[in-house]
Amino acid sequence: MASYTATQAFIPLRVVTWRISNTPTKQLPHVAPILAASIAECKKAFHTLQNENQSRSGSESAILLHKLKTQLSALLQDKQQQARYAAVVLIKAAVQVGGSNVLQGAAPWVRNLIGIMRRPDPLITKKLCIITLTRMFLLTHEYQALVREMTTPSLTGFTTACLNLAQGPGIQDSLLVVILQALSELIILHPTSFRPFVPQLQKLALLLAAPTPSDLGSGAATSPISTLVTDNARRLFVLLHVCGPRNTAGEEWARSLKTVLAATHRTADRVFRALIEDWRPSAENHAMQTIPASEVVSDQKPEPLALPSWTGIYAGIERLDGLLRTVQAFLATTTSAAVVLPVTNIMHLVDRILSALQPSSTRNSRIRPEIGRDEREGLGVGLPQLHVSAMGILSLMVSRIGGGFAALSNTALEQVLRILENEWEIEDVRVIAYRLVSQILSTFGPSLPKSSAVSLSRCVTLACADLLPQDKYSSQDGQAFASRSKNASGINATSTNADSYLNSVETQAKISHAQPPILAAARELLPIVFTKLPKGFLSVAVRSQIDRTAILTNHKEAMLASIMNTGTSKKGRKSATCVLPLLARGYPEALEVETLLRPQMPLVQSRQNQEGMTMSDEVEELSAHEDSPKDIQNGFHRNGFGFSGNWNGQSDHIESKDGILQSSTTSDGDKATIAEPPLVAQSTQTGLAEPKFTVSYTSSKRDREEDFNSTIQTGGSDVATLGSAGPTETGAPSKRARLTMDQPLRGHESVSAVDVQVLGAVVPQSSISEAVGATGAQFDVEKESDESDFEMPTLYLEPDTDAEDDEDDDNDEDDD
C-alpha cells in the first residue's frame, strides 16, 4: 500500500515533465498555468527527497526532479520569449512547493533570472522575475549555507537591475510597485548587502514620496504617480535606517524623522503665507521664514531633503500633504530597533496644521490682504486635505503611545471637533474625525472633562445624521454645523418658481448621501459613546437621538450598549426608556440578546419533559418515605387486588380497602376517616372490583376553607358514592387532580353516562375542568341520551408538579 501511495505521488511530476518535452514553444505560455497547478500537486514527491534512500521510490523522485530542473534551465536559456516566460512561471511554482529541496543547486536559475531582467523582454516577464527572485531569497533566509552560496552573491546584481528598471524612462506603475515592495522585503533581512545602495535608494524614494501632480512637465516628474507607488516609496524611505552602522539603527531613524519634520515646516512657511498664523515655533524648531508677497509661492531648492522643486499654491499643498503622509509612514512602519519618538516635535507640527482654518466671511480670519485672491482661495480648497493628513498623524500617535497620550488627549479631541464643525461637508474629514474620536473615547473616555460634552454632542449628532435616512439629514445638520446667514438662502420666500423647490430637494439628496467609509466610521462611534463616556455626560436628548438612530438603522451593537449603559434621568422627568423589546424583536437569534433576556424569563418546559420530571420526582419522594420497597405506580402502592393507595405524606393518609378510598387526616392527635368510592369500577368474574383509575384531590388552605363554608351553608356533601359504597363524610375538594392508573389508558375505552354523573357529583365542575386540563392522559366519555349519542371531547390530565401545593399542605398542618 505504501509503494502504491508513493507511486501515486510521482504521477503529477511525471506528467509535468512529459508535457514540457512535448509542447511546442509557442504554446508554452498558454500551458504554463496548467503546468504550474500540476506542480502544486507534487508536494509529496518533493518532500520524499528529505529522507531519500536506496529504495525505488527515492531514486525515481530524484530522477524526475533532476529532469524537471534540466528542462527549466533549458527554457530559461532559450532564445524565444515564450519559453523564458513559461520557465519563470514554472520555477516560481516549483520553488513555492519544493522549498529547500528545489533550491539546492538553483544558483544558475538566479543568474539567468537576473539576466532576463536586463533583456528587452515583456513587462510581465520582468515582474515575474522580480517576484520569483524575491521569493527565493526569502526562502533561503533559514538556511545559512544557501544564503552564503546563492543569496549574498546575487543581491548586488539584483539590486542594480531593479534600480536600472526603476530609473528607466517610461516605467509603468505596476512594475515600480513590484520593485519597491521587493526591496522593502529584502532590506530588512540583508541590511549589510544594501548598505552601498542607500544613496540611490534614498534618491528613488524621495522622488516618489511627495509628488506634485500640479507641476507636471515643469519639474523632474513627467507622469502622474499612483497612490500605491507613493505609499511603498515612503515605506522604503523609512526602512533605510536599518542599513546604518552597527547598533545605530535607532539614531538613523530619529535623524531621518527630524529631517522630514524640518522639511515639512519649511514647506508650510510657503503654503501658509496668506494666513497670519497664531502658531509660533518652539526653540527646537526652525525660525519661520517670511516669503515676499510679490513672488509666486514656490520652492526651487527644497531643503534639507533632496526633493524636486515645485511652483504654485496647488503644488505646494500637494508637497505638504506628501510630507505629512511621510510622517505617518514613520509612525506606522515597524522598526528593527528601539527608537525614541519625538512627541513634542510631532505635536507642534500637528498643532500648526490644525490651527490653520479656511478663510470665510462669517469668521474673523486673519489673512494677508497683499496675497492674491487666487492663492487664498486655492489655500482654502486644499486645507481640508491637510487637516485629514494631520488627524491621521494623531490617530497613529494614539495607537502607538496608548495611555501615554493621556496628557494630550483633551487638546487633540478639541482640535478634531473644531475641524469637524468647520469642515463637516468634506467626507474625508468626517471619516477621519469619527475614527479619531472613537480612538480617543475608547482610551480616555472616562477621564474627559465635562467641557467637551457640547462639542462631542454635535459630533454624535452629525454621526446619527449620516446614518439616518436622507430626509432626516438636512434638518438635523443644517442647524448644528452649517453657519449660514439668513439672507444666504438660495430660494426667495416670495418666489413661486417650481424649479427652485426641485433644486433644493436635489441638493438635500446629494448632501445626505453618505459613502460606505462614513457609514462604517459612524456606526463604530455610536456604541463607544455609550460604553466609554460616564453617565450624564451627554444630555437625554442626545441619548434619545442615538437610540432612535440605532433602532432605525438596526444597529445591534449600539442598542446593546444603550441597554447595558442606561442613562440617568433628572428629577421630575420621565425615566430613561429601554430599547430591549425592539432589540429582542430585531435580533431574536443573537446570543447577546439571549444573554440579556434569559435571566429575566421563567423556565418554560414542554409537556412531555414536565410530565417526565414530575413523575420521577414523585417516585423519589415516595422512596425517601417508604420503609420497604413496594410496587409503586404514580406515587401509589399496588397489591394483588388493585391499589392500596398508601400515601405517607406530611398531611394526608389515603388507603384503599375493598374498593373504598379512605382518607385520614391527623391533626393534634385526632384521626378522621373519609371514605370515597372508586370513580369508575367494573365487576369481574371473581366478584372483586377492578378500579380503572383513582383521582385524589389536594387543595390549598384557602380552597378548603371556602368549600367547607359552602358545604355548611348548603348542608350537602362534596363526596358522592358509587353504588353501595358505604357512608361518606365531608371531604376536601381539590384545586388540582392526580390521576393514578394500574394500566395505560386506552383512547377508545368509554365510561357510561351514570358514571359521568357520579364523576360530576364527586368533584365540582370547576375542579374537574382544572384537573383534566393539566395532564397528557386521554380517555373518552360517552353520554347516553334519548335523542342521540354524544361523545365528550378529549380530556387531558397531567401530574401535579407545582411545589406550592405541597407547601400549602405543610402550612395547613402547622396551622392545625
Side-chain angles (χ1 to χ4, degrees):
M1 189 68 178
S3 60
Y4 174 77
T5 304
T7 305
Q8 290 292 106
F10 301 137
I11 291 178
L13 187 59
R14 188 182 300 110
V15 171
V16 171
T17 56
W18 183 87
R19 294 197 66 176
I20 292 175
S21 302
N22 296 273
T23 302
T25 305
K26 294 183 178 180
Q27 297 182 4
L28 283 175
H30 305 284
V31 183
I34 302 175
L35 297 178
S38 300
I39 290 176
E41 301 176 0
C42 304
K43 187 175 183 179
K44 293 183 179 179
F46 287 135
H47 283 284
T48 54
L49 294 175
Q50 296 179 356
N51 299 320
E52 183 177 352
N53 49 28
Q54 300 299 327
S55 62
R56 178 180 178 183
S57 61
S59 62
E60 184 178 1
S61 63
I63 293 172
L64 290 175
L65 182 59
H66 178 72
K67 184 177 181 180
L68 178 63
K69 288 184 176 181
T70 304
Q71 291 176 340
L72 296 180
S73 300
L75 291 176
L76 276 177
Q77 300 174 4
D78 198 280
K79 295 181 179 180
Q80 298 185 13
Q81 297 180 356
Q82 295 87 345
R84 294 196 292 270
Y85 170 80
V88 175
V89 174
L90 297 179
I91 288 174
K92 174 64 171 60
V95 169
Q96 187 71 30
V97 177
S100 60
N101 298 324
V102 180
L103 291 175
Q104 297 289 343
W109 285 358
V110 176
R111 291 192 295 269
N112 292 328
L113 290 172
I114 295 175
I116 292 176
M117 293 173 61
R118 300 190 181 99
R119 291 185 179 183
D121 280 23
L123 178 64
I124 183 63
T125 304
K126 294 181 179 181
K127 290 172 57 177
L128 290 175
C129 285
I130 297 173
I131 295 173
T132 304
L133 287 171
T134 304
R135 186 57 181 168
M136 294 174 70
F137 294 152
L138 293 176
L139 291 175
T140 58
H141 182 67
E142 300 179 357
Y143 309 96
Q144 295 300 322
L146 293 176
V147 171
R148 291 191 301 267
E149 296 174 3
M150 184 175 65
T151 304
T152 303
S154 304
L155 279 177
T156 301
F158 173 74
T159 306
T160 304
C162 289
L163 290 173
N164 293 334
L165 287 175
Q167 297 174 0
I171 183 174
Q172 298 184 5
D173 289 347
S174 58
L175 179 58
L176 195 56
V177 169
V178 172
I179 293 173
L180 294 174
Q181 290 178 349
L183 295 176
S184 300
E185 293 291 335
L186 296 175
I187 199 173
I188 301 175
L189 302 178
H190 308 280
T192 307
S193 300
F194 282 91
R195 187 174 299 167
F197 300 97
V198 169
Q200 301 179 32
L201 294 174
Q202 187 176 12
K203 181 180 179 180
L204 173 63
L206 290 176
L207 288 174
L208 305 173
T212 55
S214 301
D215 235 1
L216 289 178
S218 59
T222 56
S223 61
I225 302 175
S226 64
T227 304
L228 189 58
V229 173
T230 56
D231 293 340
N232 285 279
R234 294 175 191 128
R235 183 171 184 268
L236 177 61
F237 176 76
V238 174
L239 291 174
L240 290 177
H241 73 278
V242 301
C243 298
R246 187 175 182 179
N247 298 330
T248 60
E251 298 177 1
E252 291 293 331
W253 183 89
R255 187 179 297 109
S256 299
L257 179 56
K258 184 178 180 180
T259 304
V260 172
L261 292 175
T264 307
H265 280 291
R266 175 186 172 90
T267 306
D269 292 341
R270 288 159 172 77
V271 173
F272 293 160
R273 71 171 188 171
L275 300 176
I276 302 176
E277 300 184 62
D278 296 330
W279 175 86
R280 289 294 179 266
S282 62
E284 299 179 358
N285 295 329
H286 73 291
M288 296 180 62
Q289 299 180 3
T290 303
I291 310 300
S294 59
E295 298 178 2
V296 178
V297 57
S298 63
D299 192 358
Q300 299 301 326
K301 295 180 180 180
E303 294 178 357
L305 293 178
L307 296 169
S309 60
W310 57 272
T311 303
I313 185 61
Y314 302 103
I317 292 174
E318 293 167 353
R319 173 59 54 81
L320 184 57
D321 180 66
L323 292 174
L324 291 174
R325 294 184 181 272
T326 305
V327 177
Q328 294 182 16
F330 273 91
L331 297 175
T333 304
T334 304
T335 59
S336 60
V339 297
V340 178
L341 186 63
V343 178
T344 304
N345 296 337
I346 295 175
M347 291 304 299
H348 271 295
L349 176 61
V350 173
D351 291 341
R352 182 177 187 181
I353 302 300
L354 296 181
S355 298
L357 300 178
Q358 297 183 14
S360 62
S361 57
T362 59
R363 182 171 54 251
N364 295 328
S365 302
R366 303 181 62 185
I367 61 176
R368 297 183 183 274
E370 62 272 17
I371 303 300
R373 178 181 177 182
D374 296 338
E375 183 176 340
R376 296 198 306 265
E377 293 179 351
L379 177 61
V381 172
L383 274 177
Q385 185 60 37
L386 299 178
H387 293 159
V388 170
S389 300
M391 287 189 287
I393 295 176
L394 283 179
S395 177
L396 290 170
M397 290 283 289
V398 175
S399 301
R400 285 296 187 186
I401 301 178
F405 198 75
L408 303 173
S409 60
N410 297 337
T411 304
L413 181 61
E414 291 297 333
Q415 289 177 339
V416 172
L417 295 177
R418 185 179 67 252
I419 295 299
L420 181 61
E421 291 182 6
N422 290 277
E423 301 173 1
W424 65 274
E425 301 92 344
I426 310 300
E427 295 182 353
D428 293 339
V429 173
R430 297 208 301 272
V431 172
I432 189 63
Y434 293 159
R435 292 176 180 174
L436 184 53
V437 170
S438 300
Q439 284 183 298
I440 295 176
L441 294 183
S442 299
T443 310
F444 314 104
S447 62
L448 291 179
K450 188 66 175 179
S451 58
S452 303
V454 178
S455 300
L456 189 59
S457 299
R458 291 196 290 265
C459 176
V460 174
T461 301
L462 181 59
C464 293
D466 283 328
L467 293 174
L468 285 175
Q470 296 181 0
D471 55 350
K472 299 288 184 181
Y473 189 94
S474 59
S475 61
Q476 294 181 0
D477 294 334
Q479 299 177 359
F481 292 92
S483 52
R484 303 183 179 92
S485 60
K486 297 181 180 180
N487 298 327
S489 60
I491 304 174
N492 189 4
T494 59
S495 176
T496 57
N497 186 7
D499 295 337
S500 61
Y501 294 98
L502 295 177
N503 293 335
S504 64
V505 174
E506 293 177 358
T507 303
Q508 292 178 3
K510 292 180 181 179
I511 294 175
S512 62
H513 181 66
Q515 299 297 328
I518 300 178
L519 298 177
R523 290 180 66 88
E524 181 183 357
L525 175 61
L526 295 187
I528 296 176
V529 171
F530 283 125
T531 56
K532 299 301 180 180
L533 288 178
K535 288 187 177 181
F537 193 87
L538 298 178
S539 62
V540 178
V542 176
R543 286 186 58 92
S544 300
Q545 185 175 5
I546 299 175
D547 289 337
R548 288 194 298 269
T549 304
I551 294 169
L552 293 176
T553 57
N554 292 328
H555 196 341
K556 181 179 70 174
E557 290 76 11
M559 288 189 283
L560 285 171
S562 176
I563 296 169
M564 300 181 67
N565 300 272
T566 57
T568 57
S569 58
K570 294 184 179 180
K571 185 177 181 180
R573 293 188 177 182
K574 184 180 179 181
S575 60
T577 58
C578 183
V579 298
L580 182 58
L582 297 173
L583 178 65
R585 181 183 300 176
Y587 300 94
E589 75 285 350
L591 294 178
E592 301 90 341
V593 180
E594 186 70 17
T595 304
L596 292 174
L597 292 178
R598 182 168 292 180
Q600 303 178 19
M601 296 182 63
L603 181 63
V604 179
Q605 296 181 352
S606 62
R607 182 185 303 167
Q608 297 178 355
N609 295 338
Q610 187 176 2
E611 180 178 355
M613 292 177 62
T614 304
M615 300 286 283
S616 62
D617 293 341
E618 291 178 353
V619 173
E620 292 179 1
E621 185 179 356
L622 287 175
S623 300
H625 291 281
E626 287 294 331
D627 295 332
S628 59
K630 296 181 180 180
D631 189 7
I632 300 175
Q633 183 174 355
N634 294 338
F636 289 88
H637 302 286
R638 184 175 60 186
N639 53 21
F641 299 97
F643 286 95
S644 62
N646 187 10
W647 180 280
N648 293 326
Q650 297 181 359
S651 58
D652 297 336
H653 182 75
I654 303 175
E655 295 182 354
S656 174
K657 296 180 179 180
D658 299 332
I660 304 298
L661 285 179
Q662 296 180 354
S663 175
S664 60
T665 303
T666 302
S667 175
D668 298 332
D670 297 334
K671 183 175 180 181
T673 303
I674 301 175
E676 295 179 1
L679 298 182
V680 179
Q682 294 181 0
S683 300
T684 60
Q685 297 178 358
T686 60
L688 298 177
E690 182 180 359
K692 287 299 180 182
F693 58 88
T694 303
V695 183
S696 63
Y697 300 93
T698 60
S699 63
S700 62
K701 180 179 179 180
R702 180 180 301 176
D703 295 333
R704 287 196 295 269
E705 291 177 355
E706 292 177 358
D707 295 335
F708 180 75
N709 296 333
S710 176
T711 304
I712 294 176
Q713 295 176 3
T714 56
S717 177
D718 290 337
V719 179
T721 59
L722 295 176
S724 59
T728 61
E729 296 182 6
T730 304
S734 72
K735 179 180 179 182
R736 296 177 180 264
R738 179 177 289 107
L739 173 64
T740 306
M741 299 167 289
D742 61 337
Q743 60 183 359
L745 295 177
R746 291 172 295 182
H748 299 287
E749 199 168 14
S750 60
V751 183
S752 63
V754 178
D755 296 335
V756 172
Q757 295 177 0
V758 173
L759 182 63
V762 173
V763 184
Q765 186 65 26
S766 60
S767 300
I768 208 67
S769 62
E770 293 178 1
V772 301
T775 183
Q778 302 179 6
F779 62 93
D780 298 333
V781 181
E782 295 182 358
K783 179 179 180 180
E784 296 180 359
S785 176
D786 298 336
E787 298 177 358
S788 61
D789 296 336
F790 174 77
E791 182 176 357
M792 294 290 290
T794 304
L795 303 179
Y796 295 89
L797 296 174
E798 68 175 4
D800 185 10
T801 61
D802 195 354
E804 296 179 0
D805 294 340
D806 298 335
E807 294 178 1
D808 293 335
D809 295 337
D810 297 339
N811 296 332
D812 295 340
E813 182 178 358
D814 295 336
D815 295 335
D816 296 335

